[in-house]
Amino acid sequence: MAGGAITPASLIGFITEIVEIPVNSGVFRKDCADLARRVGLLTHLIEEIRDSSPPAPEESDASSSLSSRECDWWSDLVVGLQAAKRLLSSATSFQARESSDGAAKRISFQFQCVTWKLEKALGNLPYDRYDISDEVREQVELARSQLRRAMQRYGSLNSKKFSSALSEPMVKDASSNTKSKVTEKLDSIPETVYSNIPLSDVKKFESPPPGKSSSVSLAFFLSKDADDERLEKAVTKNTDDSKKSDNLTIPEDFLCPISLELMKDPAIVSTGQTYERSYIQRWIDCGNLRCPKTQQKLENFTLTPNFVLRSLISQWCTKHNIEQPGGYMNGRTKNCDGSFRDLSGDMSAIRALVRKLATRSIEDRRSAVSELRSLSKRSTDNRILIAEAGAIPILVNLLTSDDTETQENAVTCILNLSIYEHNKELIMLAGAVTSIVQVLRAGTMEARENAAATLFSLSLADENKIIIGASGAILALVNLLETGSTRGKKDAATALFNLCIYQGNKGRAVRAGIVKPLVKMLTDSSHRMTEEALTILSVLASNQDAKVAILRANVIPPLIECLQKDQPRNRENAAAILLSLCKRDTEKLISIGRLGAVVPLMELSRDGTERAKRKANSLLELLRKSSQKLASL
């Protein structure tokens, strides 16, 4: 089922297939039955979307003025339903034969991901775009409330202990009956291949996976939001390519044991097992201390790149003509229309500059990196050529240069190169994050500013949010947010906002002390960074630790002030933060009522954006109930 071909009519058929999956057996039969039932509730919604006059997002012309939110909800729903079908096929066949708490946790983890994706999609549904009846709206809200409760249940990723023997391997594909022959190749590789890899190489990158089955990769919804461009590429992938990969049986060793997806950055844990890096990192971030597959205790949390397996996957993709990310080939780059441009002459000059980067002469290096910085700023073609010439690993080494001018130019050049999506992968693969964080901590102010901007650019890839967050970057960014120049503070705020979209980074940011500088910005009389502070606080407020820290900082009065007289965007975020802080606290609700929140909330409920109206109305309803409760005492 290719993402580019999914219309409401075809999605109805897909939902029917999900509902008809037998779920009356297996350890997870209740979870499977619940998920299938919730998916079934969406049938009438899709039918009404099909029958309404506006086209579904995929059917709209490319020049349509649809907002990204209106497109994203449909893409999220499609990806979530595809993942739900795959998960149900696996979970219904799961049987516990021995103590298999780890295997059960793995499936619970997948239920958590699918549940979150579906709830997120329904939460962004633009009712005003479609002619949705009140009855169907009630069904959708029922499904959402059930999904939210399920998320809370799966949230801890704990499952019951089972008394039977070793769990059966999870079914990768219902039609797969071919045993992989890759294991013997991997077993023949000496362990020293992995043990000599430097820890600085333990990084992640972002690019479309080497190949996919019919479903879009589950990695898109391991963090809050996928960036729009990548999501659009994934969901609108060519139908023929998807059908081609559908007919292939992916070797089992190429699939991540957690996600059941083809790995693009396989990483080895201390037990010797290999997983997709972003999934195993999230597994660890959730507090799991054992290997998901073997249940051995992890001696350390180092993730070492499995270059051998990555090479085998790449060879397999090439052999089966599955598209892989790329840019420059045989002296040419590909245009959007499929034609090619000859860049061999430019490449010769760039290769000469890259050779100068590696010379012993400080002046030659300084001159070469300065020229490359200038070239990398000018065009996408230059960014492709500089990367193809092998400059990225050398530039990463120059980030630790004692020469401040060289360091500044190197980090700025990497920033420019990261604008091209495929280069993000190469930068992460070169182990750049550790060195970028070092520049962020101890470089000149210009170098620190550009280091923060580079981390923001790299973090646009969801997998990179996880890796960057685990690198120590958040503490350095918070320090820049407190002590940097105006531009440095803005760069840090932008990077921190994007990193905190991933749930696991919110706690890191709170522990790094992010709340204090944000509150200071909120109360600063110059109001230079009020918008940035409110935007980040609105993302953090859903985290319990952040909520405690925000309330301890006595932030409610300045939020009420923003609500009363600030810009529309700031008023919206202030309402969102207040709702998160007060919705289960009657005392706080009474407090904001006394501080004058009611009138500006009523204005916002009339004149604000859809999100602002929703938040304001929710707060007003809570205030009304708290007043009634107080009056009854």
PDB file of all heavy atoms in Angstrom, residues 552-581:
ATOM      1  N   ARG A 552       7.408  26.223  40.278  1.00  0.00           N
ATOM      2  CA  ARG A 552       8.308  26.665  41.337  1.00  0.00           C
ATOM      3  C   ARG A 552       8.899  28.044  41.007  1.00  0.00           C
ATOM      4  O   ARG A 552       9.227  28.819  41.893  1.00  0.00           O
ATOM      5  CB  ARG A 552       9.426  25.640  41.522  1.00  0.00           C
ATOM      6  CG  ARG A 552      10.270  25.880  42.787  1.00  0.00           C
ATOM      7  CD  ARG A 552      11.362  24.833  42.889  1.00  0.00           C
ATOM      8  NE  ARG A 552      10.808  23.498  43.086  1.00  0.00           N
ATOM      9  CZ  ARG A 552      11.194  22.416  42.426  1.00  0.00           C
ATOM     10  NH1 ARG A 552      12.128  22.497  41.505  1.00  0.00           N
ATOM     11  NH2 ARG A 552      10.638  21.238  42.670  1.00  0.00           N
ATOM     12  N   ALA A 553       9.026  28.338  39.719  1.00  0.00           N
ATOM     13  CA  ALA A 553       9.594  29.627  39.295  1.00  0.00           C
ATOM     14  C   ALA A 553       8.564  30.754  39.324  1.00  0.00           C
ATOM     15  O   ALA A 553       8.861  31.871  38.886  1.00  0.00           O
ATOM     16  CB  ALA A 553      10.175  29.498  37.888  1.00  0.00           C
ATOM     17  N   ASN A 554       7.346  30.454  39.795  1.00  0.00           N
ATOM     18  CA  ASN A 554       6.290  31.468  39.927  1.00  0.00           C
ATOM     19  C   ASN A 554       6.011  32.161  38.589  1.00  0.00           C
ATOM     20  O   ASN A 554       6.010  33.382  38.476  1.00  0.00           O
ATOM     21  CB  ASN A 554       6.680  32.507  40.985  1.00  0.00           C
ATOM     22  CG  ASN A 554       5.485  33.358  41.404  1.00  0.00           C
ATOM     23  OD1 ASN A 554       4.341  32.893  41.376  1.00  0.00           O
ATOM     24  ND2 ASN A 554       5.744  34.602  41.774  1.00  0.00           N
ATOM     25  N   VAL A 555       5.752  31.353  37.581  1.00  0.00           N
ATOM     26  CA  VAL A 555       5.622  31.876  36.227  1.00  0.00           C
ATOM     27  C   VAL A 555       4.188  32.274  35.885  1.00  0.00           C
ATOM     28  O   VAL A 555       3.952  32.929  34.866  1.00  0.00           O
ATOM     29  CB  VAL A 555       6.130  30.813  35.209  1.00  0.00           C
ATOM     30  CG1 VAL A 555       5.081  29.737  34.983  1.00  0.00           C
ATOM     31  CG2 VAL A 555       6.551  31.439  33.898  1.00  0.00           C
ATOM     32  N   ILE A 556       3.213  31.956  36.740  1.00  0.00           N
ATOM     33  CA  ILE A 556       1.819  32.227  36.384  1.00  0.00           C
ATOM     34  C   ILE A 556       1.523  33.723  36.207  1.00  0.00           C
ATOM     35  O   ILE A 556       0.886  34.117  35.222  1.00  0.00           O
ATOM     36  CB  ILE A 556       0.862  31.572  37.410  1.00  0.00           C
ATOM     37  CG1 ILE A 556       0.866  30.048  37.193  1.00  0.00           C
ATOM     38  CG2 ILE A 556      -0.553  32.128  37.276  1.00  0.00           C
ATOM     39  CD1 ILE A 556      -0.030  29.279  38.132  1.00  0.00           C
ATOM     40  N   PRO A 557       1.975  34.627  37.110  1.00  0.00           N
ATOM     41  CA  PRO A 557       1.693  36.056  36.894  1.00  0.00           C
ATOM     42  C   PRO A 557       2.199  36.595  35.553  1.00  0.00           C
ATOM     43  O   PRO A 557       1.419  37.263  34.841  1.00  0.00           O
ATOM     44  CB  PRO A 557       2.384  36.732  38.086  1.00  0.00           C
ATOM     45  CG  PRO A 557       2.357  35.686  39.160  1.00  0.00           C
ATOM     46  CD  PRO A 557       2.576  34.396  38.448  1.00  0.00           C
ATOM     47  N   PRO A 558       3.465  36.335  35.162  1.00  0.00           N
ATOM     48  CA  PRO A 558       3.867  36.833  33.834  1.00  0.00           C
ATOM     49  C   PRO A 558       3.100  36.186  32.682  1.00  0.00           C
ATOM     50  O   PRO A 558       2.914  36.818  31.635  1.00  0.00           O
ATOM     51  CB  PRO A 558       5.364  36.497  33.756  1.00  0.00           C
ATOM     52  CG  PRO A 558       5.648  35.535  34.850  1.00  0.00           C
ATOM     53  CD  PRO A 558       4.637  35.786  35.890  1.00  0.00           C
ATOM     54  N   LEU A 559       2.641  34.956  32.851  1.00  0.00           N
ATOM     55  CA  LEU A 559       1.833  34.335  31.804  1.00  0.00           C
ATOM     56  C   LEU A 559       0.491  35.041  31.669  1.00  0.00           C
ATOM     57  O   LEU A 559      -0.004  35.258  30.550  1.00  0.00           O
ATOM     58  CB  LEU A 559       1.611  32.850  32.123  1.00  0.00           C
ATOM     59  CG  LEU A 559       2.796  31.903  31.906  1.00  0.00           C
ATOM     60  CD1 LEU A 559       2.447  30.508  32.393  1.00  0.00           C
ATOM     61  CD2 LEU A 559       3.219  31.863  30.440  1.00  0.00           C
ATOM     62  N   ILE A 560      -0.109  35.403  32.794  1.00  0.00           N
ATOM     63  CA  ILE A 560      -1.376  36.153  32.762  1.00  0.00           C
ATOM     64  C   ILE A 560      -1.158  37.500  32.074  1.00  0.00           C
ATOM     65  O   ILE A 560      -1.993  37.959  31.279  1.00  0.00           O
ATOM     66  CB  ILE A 560      -1.924  36.374  34.188  1.00  0.00           C
ATOM     67  CG1 ILE A 560      -2.207  35.025  34.871  1.00  0.00           C
ATOM     68  CG2 ILE A 560      -3.181  37.235  34.151  1.00  0.00           C
ATOM     69  CD1 ILE A 560      -3.317  34.234  34.264  1.00  0.00           C
ATOM     70  N   GLU A 561      -0.025  38.115  32.358  1.00  0.00           N
ATOM     71  CA  GLU A 561       0.292  39.412  31.724  1.00  0.00           C
ATOM     72  C   GLU A 561       0.394  39.260  30.213  1.00  0.00           C
ATOM     73  O   GLU A 561      -0.101  40.096  29.456  1.00  0.00           O
ATOM     74  CB  GLU A 561       1.606  39.949  32.307  1.00  0.00           C
ATOM     75  CG  GLU A 561       1.908  41.374  31.883  1.00  0.00           C
ATOM     76  CD  GLU A 561       3.173  41.915  32.552  1.00  0.00           C
ATOM     77  OE1 GLU A 561       3.580  41.363  33.592  1.00  0.00           O
ATOM     78  OE2 GLU A 561       3.746  42.888  32.011  1.00  0.00           O
ATOM     79  N   CYS A 562       1.068  38.190  29.758  1.00  0.00           N
ATOM     80  CA  CYS A 562       1.167  37.936  28.317  1.00  0.00           C
ATOM     81  C   CYS A 562      -0.223  37.704  27.724  1.00  0.00           C
ATOM     82  O   CYS A 562      -0.527  38.142  26.608  1.00  0.00           O
ATOM     83  CB  CYS A 562       2.035  36.714  28.050  1.00  0.00           C
ATOM     84  SG  CYS A 562       3.783  36.941  28.397  1.00  0.00           S
ATOM     85  N   LEU A 563      -1.053  37.024  28.464  1.00  0.00           N
ATOM     86  CA  LEU A 563      -2.403  36.717  28.005  1.00  0.00           C
ATOM     87  C   LEU A 563      -3.230  37.990  27.833  1.00  0.00           C
ATOM     88  O   LEU A 563      -4.100  38.077  26.960  1.00  0.00           O
ATOM     89  CB  LEU A 563      -3.069  35.793  29.035  1.00  0.00           C
ATOM     90  CG  LEU A 563      -4.330  35.030  28.637  1.00  0.00           C
ATOM     91  CD1 LEU A 563      -4.048  34.083  27.494  1.00  0.00           C
ATOM     92  CD2 LEU A 563      -4.862  34.267  29.842  1.00  0.00           C
ATOM     93  N   GLN A 564      -2.929  38.989  28.639  1.00  0.00           N
ATOM     94  CA  GLN A 564      -3.737  40.204  28.643  1.00  0.00           C
ATOM     95  C   GLN A 564      -3.360  41.192  27.542  1.00  0.00           C
ATOM     96  O   GLN A 564      -4.230  41.854  26.984  1.00  0.00           O
ATOM     97  CB  GLN A 564      -3.622  40.895  30.005  1.00  0.00           C
ATOM     98  CG  GLN A 564      -4.304  40.128  31.134  1.00  0.00           C
ATOM     99  CD  GLN A 564      -3.997  40.708  32.500  1.00  0.00           C
ATOM    100  OE1 GLN A 564      -2.954  41.330  32.695  1.00  0.00           O
ATOM    101  NE2 GLN A 564      -4.896  40.488  33.461  1.00  0.00           N
ATOM    102  N   LYS A 565      -2.061  41.248  27.191  1.00  0.00           N
ATOM    103  CA  LYS A 565      -1.683  42.365  26.311  1.00  0.00           C
ATOM    104  C   LYS A 565      -0.589  42.040  25.291  1.00  0.00           C
ATOM    105  O   LYS A 565      -0.033  42.944  24.691  1.00  0.00           O
ATOM    106  CB  LYS A 565      -1.227  43.551  27.159  1.00  0.00           C
ATOM    107  CG  LYS A 565      -0.052  43.242  28.087  1.00  0.00           C
ATOM    108  CD  LYS A 565       0.291  44.455  28.945  1.00  0.00           C
ATOM    109  CE  LYS A 565       1.486  44.188  29.843  1.00  0.00           C
ATOM    110  NZ  LYS A 565       1.804  45.331  30.720  1.00  0.00           N
ATOM    111  N   ASP A 566      -0.275  40.784  25.073  1.00  0.00           N
ATOM    112  CA  ASP A 566       0.827  40.476  24.162  1.00  0.00           C
ATOM    113  C   ASP A 566       0.324  40.197  22.747  1.00  0.00           C
ATOM    114  O   ASP A 566      -0.857  40.307  22.444  1.00  0.00           O
ATOM    115  CB  ASP A 566       1.634  39.272  24.687  1.00  0.00           C
ATOM    116  CG  ASP A 566       3.126  39.486  24.490  1.00  0.00           C
ATOM    117  OD1 ASP A 566       3.496  39.978  23.418  1.00  0.00           O
ATOM    118  OD2 ASP A 566       3.905  39.158  25.405  1.00  0.00           O
ATOM    119  N   GLN A 567       1.278  39.795  21.873  1.00  0.00           N
ATOM    120  CA  GLN A 567       0.953  39.466  20.492  1.00  0.00           C
ATOM    121  C   GLN A 567       0.084  38.205  20.437  1.00  0.00           C
ATOM    122  O   GLN A 567       0.124  37.366  21.343  1.00  0.00           O
ATOM    123  CB  GLN A 567       2.243  39.234  19.693  1.00  0.00           C
ATOM    124  CG  GLN A 567       3.186  40.427  19.665  1.00  0.00           C
ATOM    125  CD  GLN A 567       2.542  41.632  18.996  1.00  0.00           C
ATOM    126  OE1 GLN A 567       1.843  41.497  17.993  1.00  0.00           O
ATOM    127  NE2 GLN A 567       2.757  42.809  19.559  1.00  0.00           N
ATOM    128  N   PRO A 568      -0.704  38.023  19.361  1.00  0.00           N
ATOM    129  CA  PRO A 568      -1.610  36.866  19.272  1.00  0.00           C
ATOM    130  C   PRO A 568      -0.912  35.524  19.466  1.00  0.00           C
ATOM    131  O   PRO A 568      -1.431  34.652  20.176  1.00  0.00           O
ATOM    132  CB  PRO A 568      -2.187  36.993  17.852  1.00  0.00           C
ATOM    133  CG  PRO A 568      -2.121  38.452  17.554  1.00  0.00           C
ATOM    134  CD  PRO A 568      -0.885  38.946  18.226  1.00  0.00           C
ATOM    135  N   ARG A 569       0.255  35.350  18.862  1.00  0.00           N
ATOM    136  CA  ARG A 569       0.964  34.082  18.988  1.00  0.00           C
ATOM    137  C   ARG A 569       1.381  33.837  20.439  1.00  0.00           C
ATOM    138  O   ARG A 569       1.287  32.721  20.955  1.00  0.00           O
ATOM    139  CB  ARG A 569       2.195  34.088  18.080  1.00  0.00           C
ATOM    140  CG  ARG A 569       3.074  32.856  18.180  1.00  0.00           C
ATOM    141  CD  ARG A 569       2.362  31.629  17.668  1.00  0.00           C
ATOM    142  NE  ARG A 569       3.227  30.466  17.674  1.00  0.00           N
ATOM    143  CZ  ARG A 569       2.810  29.231  17.465  1.00  0.00           C
ATOM    144  NH1 ARG A 569       1.537  29.003  17.225  1.00  0.00           N
ATOM    145  NH2 ARG A 569       3.648  28.219  17.482  1.00  0.00           N
ATOM    146  N   ASN A 570       1.837  34.887  21.105  1.00  0.00           N
ATOM    147  CA  ASN A 570       2.251  34.758  22.503  1.00  0.00           C
ATOM    148  C   ASN A 570       1.059  34.483  23.424  1.00  0.00           C
ATOM    149  O   ASN A 570       1.161  33.712  24.381  1.00  0.00           O
ATOM    150  CB  ASN A 570       2.981  36.017  22.954  1.00  0.00           C
ATOM    151  CG  ASN A 570       4.340  36.164  22.285  1.00  0.00           C
ATOM    152  OD1 ASN A 570       4.811  35.235  21.630  1.00  0.00           O
ATOM    153  ND2 ASN A 570       4.963  37.319  22.450  1.00  0.00           N
ATOM    154  N   ARG A 571      -0.054  35.107  23.137  1.00  0.00           N
ATOM    155  CA  ARG A 571      -1.264  34.875  23.937  1.00  0.00           C
ATOM    156  C   ARG A 571      -1.705  33.414  23.802  1.00  0.00           C
ATOM    157  O   ARG A 571      -2.123  32.776  24.773  1.00  0.00           O
ATOM    158  CB  ARG A 571      -2.380  35.819  23.494  1.00  0.00           C
ATOM    159  CG  ARG A 571      -2.091  37.302  23.757  1.00  0.00           C
ATOM    160  CD  ARG A 571      -3.183  38.181  23.171  1.00  0.00           C
ATOM    161  NE  ARG A 571      -4.456  37.987  23.869  1.00  0.00           N
ATOM    162  CZ  ARG A 571      -5.639  38.229  23.334  1.00  0.00           C
ATOM    163  NH1 ARG A 571      -5.726  38.649  22.079  1.00  0.00           N
ATOM    164  NH2 ARG A 571      -6.731  38.049  24.024  1.00  0.00           N
ATOM    165  N   GLU A 572      -1.616  32.897  22.592  1.00  0.00           N
ATOM    166  CA  GLU A 572      -1.975  31.493  22.352  1.00  0.00           C
ATOM    167  C   GLU A 572      -1.089  30.549  23.158  1.00  0.00           C
ATOM    168  O   GLU A 572      -1.580  29.619  23.815  1.00  0.00           O
ATOM    169  CB  GLU A 572      -1.833  31.199  20.851  1.00  0.00           C
ATOM    170  CG  GLU A 572      -2.085  29.762  20.473  1.00  0.00           C
ATOM    171  CD  GLU A 572      -1.880  29.534  18.979  1.00  0.00           C
ATOM    172  OE1 GLU A 572      -2.210  30.447  18.182  1.00  0.00           O
ATOM    173  OE2 GLU A 572      -1.389  28.462  18.608  1.00  0.00           O
ATOM    174  N   ASN A 573       0.220  30.778  23.120  1.00  0.00           N
ATOM    175  CA  ASN A 573       1.136  29.918  23.870  1.00  0.00           C
ATOM    176  C   ASN A 573       0.961  30.080  25.380  1.00  0.00           C
ATOM    177  O   ASN A 573       1.086  29.108  26.132  1.00  0.00           O
ATOM    178  CB  ASN A 573       2.582  30.213  23.465  1.00  0.00           C
ATOM    179  CG  ASN A 573       2.970  29.523  22.173  1.00  0.00           C
ATOM    180  OD1 ASN A 573       2.507  28.426  21.890  1.00  0.00           O
ATOM    181  ND2 ASN A 573       3.812  30.165  21.381  1.00  0.00           N
ATOM    182  N   ALA A 574       0.691  31.308  25.811  1.00  0.00           N
ATOM    183  CA  ALA A 574       0.456  31.524  27.243  1.00  0.00           C
ATOM    184  C   ALA A 574      -0.761  30.729  27.718  1.00  0.00           C
ATOM    185  O   ALA A 574      -0.741  30.104  28.784  1.00  0.00           O
ATOM    186  CB  ALA A 574       0.258  33.020  27.524  1.00  0.00           C
ATOM    187  N   ALA A 575      -1.824  30.717  26.905  1.00  0.00           N
ATOM    188  CA  ALA A 575      -3.017  29.946  27.255  1.00  0.00           C
ATOM    189  C   ALA A 575      -2.715  28.452  27.287  1.00  0.00           C
ATOM    190  O   ALA A 575      -3.181  27.726  28.180  1.00  0.00           O
ATOM    191  CB  ALA A 575      -4.135  30.237  26.248  1.00  0.00           C
ATOM    192  N   ALA A 576      -1.915  27.992  26.324  1.00  0.00           N
ATOM    193  CA  ALA A 576      -1.558  26.567  26.276  1.00  0.00           C
ATOM    194  C   ALA A 576      -0.766  26.156  27.514  1.00  0.00           C
ATOM    195  O   ALA A 576      -0.992  25.090  28.097  1.00  0.00           O
ATOM    196  CB  ALA A 576      -0.756  26.283  25.011  1.00  0.00           C
ATOM    197  N   ILE A 577       0.171  27.004  27.921  1.00  0.00           N
ATOM    198  CA  ILE A 577       0.996  26.700  29.104  1.00  0.00           C
ATOM    199  C   ILE A 577       0.126  26.693  30.363  1.00  0.00           C
ATOM    200  O   ILE A 577       0.225  25.794  31.205  1.00  0.00           O
ATOM    201  CB  ILE A 577       2.136  27.725  29.248  1.00  0.00           C
ATOM    202  CG1 ILE A 577       3.072  27.666  28.030  1.00  0.00           C
ATOM    203  CG2 ILE A 577       2.945  27.471  30.517  1.00  0.00           C
ATOM    204  CD1 ILE A 577       3.995  28.867  27.903  1.00  0.00           C
ATOM    205  N   LEU A 578      -0.735  27.697  30.499  1.00  0.00           N
ATOM    206  CA  LEU A 578      -1.608  27.764  31.676  1.00  0.00           C
ATOM    207  C   LEU A 578      -2.513  26.539  31.766  1.00  0.00           C
ATOM    208  O   LEU A 578      -2.753  26.008  32.853  1.00  0.00           O
ATOM    209  CB  LEU A 578      -2.451  29.042  31.622  1.00  0.00           C
ATOM    210  CG  LEU A 578      -1.714  30.349  31.942  1.00  0.00           C
ATOM    211  CD1 LEU A 578      -2.581  31.557  31.588  1.00  0.00           C
ATOM    212  CD2 LEU A 578      -1.298  30.397  33.412  1.00  0.00           C
ATOM    213  N   LEU A 579      -3.006  26.085  30.620  1.00  0.00           N
ATOM    214  CA  LEU A 579      -3.860  24.901  30.621  1.00  0.00           C
ATOM    215  C   LEU A 579      -3.087  23.676  31.107  1.00  0.00           C
ATOM    216  O   LEU A 579      -3.590  22.897  31.928  1.00  0.00           O
ATOM    217  CB  LEU A 579      -4.402  24.657  29.209  1.00  0.00           C
ATOM    218  CG  LEU A 579      -5.334  23.450  29.044  1.00  0.00           C
ATOM    219  CD1 LEU A 579      -6.563  23.586  29.921  1.00  0.00           C
ATOM    220  CD2 LEU A 579      -5.732  23.290  27.577  1.00  0.00           C
ATOM    221  N   SER A 580      -1.864  23.506  30.637  1.00  0.00           N
ATOM    222  CA  SER A 580      -1.045  22.367  31.072  1.00  0.00           C
ATOM    223  C   SER A 580      -0.727  22.434  32.561  1.00  0.00           C
ATOM    224  O   SER A 580      -0.718  21.415  33.252  1.00  0.00           O
ATOM    225  CB  SER A 580       0.269  22.329  30.276  1.00  0.00           C
ATOM    226  OG  SER A 580       0.041  22.037  28.926  1.00  0.00           O
ATOM    227  N   LEU A 581      -0.478  23.633  33.051  1.00  0.00           N
ATOM    228  CA  LEU A 581      -0.089  23.799  34.455  1.00  0.00           C
ATOM    229  C   LEU A 581      -1.257  23.635  35.417  1.00  0.00           C
ATOM    230  O   LEU A 581      -1.076  23.168  36.545  1.00  0.00           O
ATOM    231  CB  LEU A 581       0.544  25.175  34.667  1.00  0.00           C
ATOM    232  CG  LEU A 581       1.862  25.476  33.943  1.00  0.00           C
ATOM    233  CD1 LEU A 581       2.307  26.904  34.241  1.00  0.00           C
ATOM    234  CD2 LEU A 581       2.946  24.486  34.345  1.00  0.00           C
TER     235      LEU A 581
END
